[in-house]
Amino acid sequence: MEQLLFDIIFWGAFVGGGSAFVIFAFIMAIKQGITIQKNPKKSEDYTPVEQSYSPLTIKATVIDQYCDVETIGIKIPKTVKVFFIVFQTEYDEILKLNVSEEMYGGFQQGQTGILSIIDGKLYGFELVEKSD
């Protein structure tokens, strides 16, 4: 009986202590991970590289334009209007570009011009000919 009681206490302390250690190590790892993300170490050899973007220019025609509403967030969701212009290039590629509301009003279906894109975003659109 005494041996059974001793075994129960010993293994209970062993398993309980081991579990407590694992939980403690897990919490410390999470805290350390959060600290690293908040204050990343800066490398002494780091020098910022200036990137120069050259626009991709191509002849394109406005074939469609539409707006949509997206919901952003989980706890405090909000709706945001998004505006798209759809272009067809001279090589029959379809490009759907997100634009601001101010730019959206400046386009009409059927317009043809030189489309400039930098980093996947609309940079400019110079009208070449106006279609009816």
Side-chain angles (χ1 to χ4, degrees):
M1 183 70 176
E2 290 177 9
Q3 183 63 29
L4 180 63
L5 184 60
F6 176 76
D7 287 343
I8 290 172
I9 292 173
F10 175 76
W11 287 110
F14 182 73
V15 171
S19 300
F21 177 75
V22 169
I23 291 170
F24 175 76
F26 183 70
I27 290 172
M28 292 308 292
I30 290 173
K31 283 185 174 181
Q32 186 66 22
I34 292 171
T35 304
I36 290 172
Q37 290 176 358
K38 285 183 180 176
N39 302 319
K41 294 181 181 178
K42 294 183 180 178
S43 173
E44 294 175 10
D45 299 333
Y46 175 74
T47 54
V49 178
E50 291 184 25
Q51 296 179 348
S52 61
Y53 295 103
S54 58
L56 167 70
T57 56
I58 191 165
K59 187 174 181 183
T61 303
V62 178
I63 58 171
D64 194 14
Q65 58 187 110
Y66 63 95
C67 63
D68 199 4
V69 177
E70 290 182 354
T71 303
I72 298 175
I74 296 172
K75 255 186 165 175
I76 304 173
K78 65 177 184 175
T79 55
V80 178
K81 292 181 189 177
V82 287
F83 299 89
F84 294 97
I85 305 292
V86 182
F87 295 94
Q88 181 174 8
T89 68
E90 59 189 343
Y91 304 109
D92 291 330
E93 293 179 80
I94 304 296
L95 303 173
K96 181 173 88 169
L97 301 175
N98 187 354
V99 298
S100 66
E101 186 174 2
E102 293 80 20
M103 294 174 74
Y104 179 79
F107 287 94
Q108 294 178 354
Q109 288 185 10
Q111 290 178 327
T112 301
I114 303 299
L115 177 66
S116 299
I117 301 173
I118 293 182
D119 198 26
K121 297 179 181 168
L122 179 66
Y123 181 71
F125 185 72
E126 185 179 339
L127 216 51
V128 172
E129 73 180 60
K130 190 172 184 178
S131 299
D132 291 331

